[in-house]
Coordinates of all heavy atoms in Angstrom, one line a residue:
N172 N -5.1 -15.9 -34.6 CA -6.3 -16.4 -35.3 C -6.1 -16.6 -36.8 O -6.0 -15.6 -37.5 CB -7.5 -15.5 -35.1 CG -8.8 -16.2 -35.4 OD1 -8.9 -17.0 -36.3 ND2 -9.9 -15.7 -34.8
P173 N -6.0 -17.9 -37.2 CA -5.7 -18.1 -38.6 C -6.8 -17.7 -39.6 O -6.6 -17.6 -40.8 CB -5.5 -19.6 -38.7 CG -6.3 -20.1 -37.6 CD -6.1 -19.1 -36.5
S174 N -7.9 -17.3 -39.1 CA -9.0 -16.9 -40.0 C -9.2 -15.4 -40.1 O -9.9 -14.9 -41.0 CB -10.4 -17.5 -39.5 OG -10.4 -18.9 -39.7
L175 N -8.5 -14.7 -39.3 CA -8.6 -13.3 -39.3 C -7.4 -12.7 -40.1 O -6.4 -12.3 -39.6 CB -8.6 -12.7 -37.9 CG -9.8 -13.0 -37.1 CD1 -9.7 -12.4 -35.7 CD2 -11.1 -12.5 -37.8
I176 N -7.5 -12.8 -41.4 CA -6.4 -12.2 -42.3 C -7.0 -11.0 -42.9 O -8.2 -10.9 -43.3 CB -6.0 -13.2 -43.4 CG1 -7.1 -13.7 -44.2 CG2 -5.4 -14.5 -42.7 CD1 -6.7 -14.6 -45.4
L177 N -6.2 -10.0 -43.1 CA -6.6 -8.7 -43.6 C -6.0 -8.4 -45.0 O -4.9 -8.8 -45.3 CB -6.1 -7.6 -42.6 CG -6.7 -7.7 -41.2 CD1 -6.0 -6.7 -40.4 CD2 -8.2 -7.6 -41.1
P178 N -6.8 -7.7 -45.9 CA -6.3 -7.3 -47.1 C -4.9 -6.5 -47.0 O -4.8 -5.7 -46.1 CB -7.4 -6.5 -47.7 CG -8.6 -6.9 -47.1 CD -8.2 -7.3 -45.7
G179 N -4.0 -6.8 -47.8 CA -2.7 -6.2 -47.8 C -1.6 -7.0 -47.1 O -0.4 -6.7 -47.2
M180 N -2.0 -8.1 -46.3 CA -1.0 -8.9 -45.6 C -0.2 -9.6 -46.6 O -0.7 -10.0 -47.7 CB -1.7 -9.9 -44.7 CG -2.3 -9.4 -43.5 SD -2.9 -10.8 -42.5 CE -3.3 -10.0 -40.9
K181 N 1.1 -9.7 -46.4 CA 2.0 -10.3 -47.3 C 2.4 -11.7 -46.8 O 3.0 -11.9 -45.7 CB 3.3 -9.6 -47.4 CG 3.2 -8.2 -48.0 CD 2.7 -8.2 -49.4 CE 2.6 -6.7 -50.0 NZ 2.1 -6.7 -51.3
L182 N 1.9 -12.8 -47.4 CA 2.1 -14.2 -47.0 C 3.1 -14.8 -47.8 O 3.2 -14.7 -49.0 CB 0.8 -15.0 -47.1 CG -0.4 -14.4 -46.3 CD1 -1.6 -15.3 -46.5 CD2 -0.1 -14.2 -44.9
T183 N 4.1 -15.6 -47.2 CA 5.1 -16.3 -47.9 C 4.6 -17.7 -48.2 O 3.9 -18.4 -47.4 CB 6.3 -16.5 -47.0 OG1 6.8 -15.2 -46.7 CG2 7.4 -17.3 -47.7
L184 N 4.7 -18.1 -49.4 CA 4.1 -19.4 -50.0 C 5.2 -20.5 -50.0 O 6.2 -20.3 -50.7 CB 3.6 -19.2 -51.3 CG 2.5 -18.1 -51.5 CD1 2.0 -18.1 -53.0 CD2 1.3 -18.4 -50.6
G185 N 5.1 -21.5 -49.2 CA 6.0 -22.6 -49.1 C 7.3 -22.4 -48.4 O 8.2 -23.2 -48.5
A186 N 7.4 -21.4 -47.6 CA 8.6 -21.2 -46.8 C 8.3 -20.3 -45.6 O 7.2 -19.6 -45.5 CB 9.7 -20.4 -47.6
K187 N 9.1 -20.4 -44.6 CA 8.9 -19.7 -43.3 C 9.1 -18.1 -43.6 O 10.0 -17.7 -44.1 CB 9.9 -20.1 -42.3 CG 9.5 -19.8 -40.8 CD 8.4 -20.7 -40.4 CE 8.2 -20.5 -38.9 NZ 7.1 -21.4 -38.4
S188 N 8.1 -17.4 -43.1 CA 8.1 -16.0 -43.2 C 9.0 -15.4 -42.2 O 9.0 -15.8 -41.0 CB 6.7 -15.4 -43.2 OG 6.8 -14.0 -43.2
T189 N 9.8 -14.4 -42.5 CA 10.7 -13.7 -41.5 C 10.1 -12.3 -41.2 O 10.6 -11.6 -40.4 CB 12.0 -13.5 -42.1 OG1 11.9 -12.7 -43.4 CG2 12.7 -14.8 -42.4
A190 N 8.9 -12.0 -41.8 CA 8.3 -10.7 -41.5 C 7.7 -10.7 -40.1 O 7.3 -11.8 -39.5 CB 7.2 -10.4 -42.5
K191 N 7.6 -9.5 -39.5 CA 7.0 -9.4 -38.2 C 5.5 -9.1 -38.3 O 5.1 -8.7 -39.3 CB 7.7 -8.3 -37.4 CG 9.2 -8.5 -37.1 CD 9.8 -7.4 -36.3 CE 11.2 -7.7 -35.9 NZ 11.8 -6.6 -35.1
A192 N 4.9 -9.5 -37.2 CA 3.4 -9.3 -37.2 C 3.0 -7.9 -37.4 O 3.4 -7.0 -36.7 CB 2.8 -9.8 -35.9
A193 N 2.1 -7.7 -38.5 CA 1.6 -6.3 -38.7 C 0.1 -6.3 -38.6 O -0.5 -5.2 -38.6 CB 2.0 -5.9 -40.2
A194 N -0.5 -7.5 -38.4 CA -1.9 -7.6 -38.4 C -2.6 -6.7 -37.2 O -3.5 -6.0 -37.5 CB -2.4 -9.0 -38.3
P195 N -2.1 -6.9 -36.0 CA -2.7 -6.2 -34.9 C -2.7 -4.6 -35.1 O -3.6 -4.0 -34.9 CB -1.8 -6.6 -33.7 CG -1.3 -7.9 -34.1 CD -1.0 -7.8 -35.5
K196 N -1.6 -4.1 -35.7 CA -1.4 -2.7 -35.9 C -2.5 -2.2 -37.0 O -3.1 -1.2 -36.9 CB -0.1 -2.3 -36.3 CG 1.0 -2.5 -35.2 CD 2.3 -2.1 -35.7 CE 3.4 -2.3 -34.6 NZ 4.8 -1.9 -35.1
A197 N -2.7 -3.1 -38.0 CA -3.6 -2.8 -39.0 C -5.1 -2.9 -38.6 O -5.9 -2.1 -39.0 CB -3.3 -3.6 -40.3
A198 N -5.3 -3.9 -37.7 CA -6.7 -4.2 -37.3 C -7.2 -3.2 -36.2 O -8.3 -2.9 -36.1 CB -6.8 -5.6 -36.8
A199 N -6.2 -2.8 -35.4 CA -6.6 -2.0 -34.2 C -7.4 -0.7 -34.6 O -8.4 -0.4 -34.0 CB -5.4 -1.7 -33.3
P200 N -6.9 0.1 -35.6 CA -7.6 1.3 -35.9 C -9.0 1.1 -36.4 O -9.8 2.0 -36.3 CB -6.7 2.0 -36.9 CG -5.3 1.3 -36.7 CD -5.6 -0.1 -36.3
A201 N -9.3 -0.1 -36.9 CA -10.6 -0.3 -37.6 C -11.7 -0.3 -36.5 O -12.7 0.3 -36.8 CB -10.6 -1.6 -38.2
A202 N -11.5 -0.8 -35.4 CA -12.5 -0.9 -34.4 C -12.9 0.5 -33.9 O -14.1 0.8 -33.8 CB -12.1 -1.7 -33.2
P203 N -12.0 1.4 -33.6 CA -12.4 2.7 -33.1 C -13.2 3.5 -34.3 O -14.1 4.2 -34.0 CB -11.1 3.4 -32.9 CG -10.2 2.3 -32.6 CD -10.5 1.2 -33.4
K204 N -12.8 3.3 -35.5 CA -13.5 3.9 -36.6 C -15.0 3.5 -36.6 O -15.9 4.3 -36.8 CB -12.9 3.6 -37.9 CG -11.6 4.3 -38.1 CD -11.0 4.0 -39.4 CE -9.6 4.7 -39.6 NZ -9.1 4.4 -40.9
A205 N -15.2 2.1 -36.5 CA -16.6 1.6 -36.5 C -17.3 2.2 -35.3 O -18.5 2.6 -35.4 CB -16.5 0.1 -36.4
K206 N -16.7 2.2 -34.1 CA -17.4 2.8 -32.9 C -17.7 4.3 -33.1 O -18.7 4.7 -32.7 CB -16.5 2.6 -31.7 CG -16.4 1.1 -31.3 CD -15.5 0.9 -30.1 CE -15.4 -0.5 -29.7 NZ -14.5 -0.7 -28.5
A207 N -16.8 4.9 -33.8 CA -17.0 6.3 -34.0 C -18.2 6.6 -34.9 O -19.0 7.5 -34.6 CB -15.7 7.0 -34.7
K208 N -18.4 5.8 -35.9 CA -19.6 5.9 -36.7 C -20.8 5.7 -36.0 O -21.8 6.3 -36.1 CB -19.4 4.9 -37.9 CG -18.3 5.3 -38.9 CD -18.3 4.3 -40.0 CE -17.2 4.7 -41.0 NZ -17.1 3.7 -42.2
V209 N -20.8 4.6 -35.1 CA -22.0 4.3 -34.4 C -22.3 5.4 -33.4 O -23.4 5.8 -33.2 CB -21.7 3.0 -33.5 CG1 -22.9 2.7 -32.6 CG2 -21.5 1.8 -34.5
T210 N -21.2 6.0 -32.8 CA -21.5 7.1 -31.8 C -22.1 8.3 -32.6 O -23.0 9.0 -32.0 CB -20.1 7.5 -31.2 OG1 -19.6 6.4 -30.6 CG2 -20.3 8.6 -30.2
Q211 N -21.6 8.6 -33.8 CA -22.2 9.7 -34.5 C -23.6 9.5 -34.9 O -24.4 10.4 -34.9 CB -21.3 9.9 -35.8 CG -19.9 10.4 -35.5 CD -19.1 10.4 -36.8 OE1 -19.6 10.1 -37.8 NE2 -17.8 10.9 -36.6
K212 N -24.0 8.3 -35.2 CA -25.4 8.0 -35.6 C -26.3 8.0 -34.3 O -27.4 8.4 -34.3 CB -25.5 6.6 -36.2 CG -24.8 6.6 -37.6 CD -25.0 5.2 -38.2 CE -24.4 5.1 -39.6 NZ -24.5 3.8 -40.1
A213 N -25.6 7.5 -33.1 CA -26.5 7.4 -32.0 C -26.6 8.8 -31.2 O -27.5 8.9 -30.5 CB -25.8 6.4 -31.0
A214 N -25.7 9.7 -31.4 CA -25.7 10.9 -30.7 C -27.0 11.7 -30.9 O -27.6 12.2 -29.8 CB -24.6 11.8 -31.2
P215 N -27.6 11.9 -32.0 CA -28.9 12.6 -32.1 C -30.0 12.0 -31.3 O -31.0 12.6 -31.0 CB -29.2 12.6 -33.6 CG -27.9 12.4 -34.2 CD -27.2 11.5 -33.3
A216 N -29.9 10.7 -31.1 CA -31.0 10.0 -30.4 C -31.1 10.2 -28.9 O -32.0 9.9 -28.2 CB -31.0 8.5 -30.7
G217 N -30.0 10.7 -28.4 CA -29.9 10.9 -27.0 C -29.9 9.7 -26.1 O -28.8 9.0 -26.1
E218 N -31.0 9.4 -25.4 CA -31.0 8.3 -24.5 C -31.4 7.0 -25.1 O -32.2 6.3 -24.6 CB -31.9 8.7 -23.3 CG -31.6 10.0 -22.6 CD -30.3 9.8 -21.8 OE1 -30.0 8.6 -21.4 OE2 -29.6 10.7 -21.7
Q219 N -30.8 6.7 -26.2 CA -31.1 5.4 -26.9 C -30.5 4.2 -26.1 O -29.5 4.4 -25.5 CB -30.7 5.4 -28.3 CG -31.4 6.3 -29.3 CD -30.9 6.2 -30.6 OE1 -29.7 6.0 -30.8 NE2 -31.8 6.3 -31.6
T220 N -31.1 3.1 -26.2 CA -30.6 2.0 -25.5 C -29.6 1.3 -26.4 O -29.4 1.6 -27.5 CB -31.8 0.9 -25.3 OG1 -32.2 0.5 -26.6 CG2 -32.9 1.5 -24.5
R221 N -28.8 0.4 -25.7 CA -27.7 -0.3 -26.4 C -28.3 -1.2 -27.6 O -27.7 -1.2 -28.7 CB -27.0 -1.3 -25.5 CG -25.8 -2.0 -26.1 CD -25.2 -3.0 -25.2 NE -24.7 -2.3 -24.0 CZ -24.1 -2.9 -23.0 NH1 -24.1 -4.3 -23.0 NH2 -23.7 -2.3 -21.9
A222 N -29.5 -1.7 -27.4 CA -30.1 -2.6 -28.4 C -30.5 -1.7 -29.6 O -30.2 -2.1 -30.8 CB -31.3 -3.2 -27.9
S223 N -31.0 -0.5 -29.4 CA -31.3 0.3 -30.6 C -30.1 0.8 -31.3 O -30.1 0.9 -32.6 CB -32.1 1.6 -30.1 OG -31.3 2.4 -29.2
R224 N -29.0 1.0 -30.6 CA -27.7 1.4 -31.3 C -27.2 0.2 -32.1 O -26.7 0.4 -33.2 CB -26.6 1.7 -30.2 CG -27.0 3.0 -29.4 CD -25.9 3.3 -28.4 NE -26.2 4.5 -27.6 CZ -25.4 4.9 -26.7 NH1 -24.3 4.2 -26.3 NH2 -25.7 6.1 -26.0
S225 N -27.3 -1.0 -31.6 CA -26.9 -2.2 -32.4 C -27.8 -2.3 -33.6 O -27.3 -2.7 -34.7 CB -27.1 -3.4 -31.5 OG -26.2 -3.3 -30.4
T226 N -29.1 -2.0 -33.5 CA -30.0 -2.1 -34.7 C -29.5 -1.1 -35.8 O -29.5 -1.4 -37.0 CB -31.4 -1.7 -34.3 OG1 -31.8 -2.7 -33.3 CG2 -32.3 -1.9 -35.4
E227 N -29.1 0.1 -35.3 CA -28.7 1.1 -36.3 C -27.4 0.7 -37.0 O -27.2 0.9 -38.2 CB -28.5 2.5 -35.6 CG -29.8 3.1 -35.2 CD -29.5 4.5 -34.6 OE1 -28.3 4.9 -34.5 OE2 -30.5 5.2 -34.3
R228 N -26.4 0.1 -36.1 CA -25.2 -0.4 -36.7 C -25.5 -1.5 -37.7 O -24.8 -1.7 -38.7 CB -24.2 -0.8 -35.6 CG -22.9 -1.2 -36.2 CD -21.9 -1.3 -35.0 NE -22.3 -2.4 -34.2 CZ -21.6 -2.8 -33.1 NH1 -20.5 -2.2 -32.8 NH2 -22.0 -3.8 -32.3
A229 N -26.5 -2.3 -37.4 CA -26.8 -3.4 -38.3 C -27.4 -2.9 -39.6 O -27.4 -3.7 -40.6 CB -27.7 -4.4 -37.6
A230 N -28.0 -1.8 -39.6 CA -28.7 -1.3 -40.9 C -27.7 -1.1 -42.0 O -28.0 -1.3 -43.1 CB -29.4 0.0 -40.6
A231 N -26.4 -0.7 -41.7 CA -25.5 -0.4 -42.8 C -25.2 -1.6 -43.6 O -25.2 -1.6 -44.9 CB -24.2 0.1 -42.1
P232 N -24.8 -2.9 -43.0 CA -24.5 -4.0 -43.8 C -25.7 -4.5 -44.6 O -25.6 -5.4 -45.5 CB -24.1 -5.1 -42.8 CG -23.7 -4.3 -41.6 CD -24.6 -3.1 -41.6
A233 N -26.9 -4.1 -44.4 CA -28.1 -4.6 -45.1 C -28.2 -4.1 -46.5 O -29.0 -4.6 -47.3 CB -29.4 -4.1 -44.3
A234 N -27.3 -3.2 -46.9 CA -27.4 -2.6 -48.3 C -27.0 -3.6 -49.4 O -27.6 -3.5 -50.4 CB -26.5 -1.4 -48.3
P235 N -26.0 -4.5 -49.2 CA -25.5 -5.3 -50.3 C -26.7 -6.1 -51.0 O -27.5 -6.7 -50.3 CB -24.6 -6.3 -49.6 CG -24.0 -5.6 -48.5 CD -25.2 -4.8 -48.0
A236 N -26.8 -6.1 -52.3 CA -27.9 -6.7 -53.0 C -27.9 -8.2 -52.8 O -28.9 -8.8 -52.9 CB -27.8 -6.3 -54.5
Q237 N -26.7 -8.8 -52.6 CA -26.6 -10.3 -52.6 C -27.4 -10.8 -51.5 O -27.8 -12.0 -51.5 CB -25.2 -10.7 -52.4 CG -24.5 -10.3 -51.2 CD -23.1 -10.8 -51.0 OE1 -22.5 -11.3 -52.0 NE2 -22.6 -10.9 -49.8
S238 N -27.6 -10.1 -50.4 CA -28.3 -10.6 -49.2 C -29.7 -10.0 -49.0 O -30.5 -10.5 -48.2 CB -27.5 -10.4 -47.9 OG -27.3 -9.0 -47.8
S239 N -30.1 -9.0 -49.9 CA -31.4 -8.4 -49.7 C -32.5 -9.2 -50.4 O -33.7 -9.0 -50.1 CB -31.4 -7.0 -50.2 OG -31.1 -7.0 -51.6

Side-chain angles (χ1 to χ4, degrees):
N172 193 331
S174 289
L175 293 180
I176 60 175
L177 302 174
M180 282 183 173
K181 301 294 183 181
L182 304 181
T183 301
L184 305 178
K187 198 76 173 179
S188 174
T189 57
K191 293 184 178 180
K196 293 181 180 179
K204 289 181 180 178
K206 291 181 180 177
K208 291 180 180 179
V209 174
T210 303
Q211 290 172 1
K212 291 181 180 179
E218 298 296 327
Q219 289 182 326
T220 63
R221 182 184 301 176
S223 63
R224 291 179 182 179
S225 299
T226 303
E227 287 185 0
R228 184 170 60 180
Q237 64 175 17
S238 59
S239 61

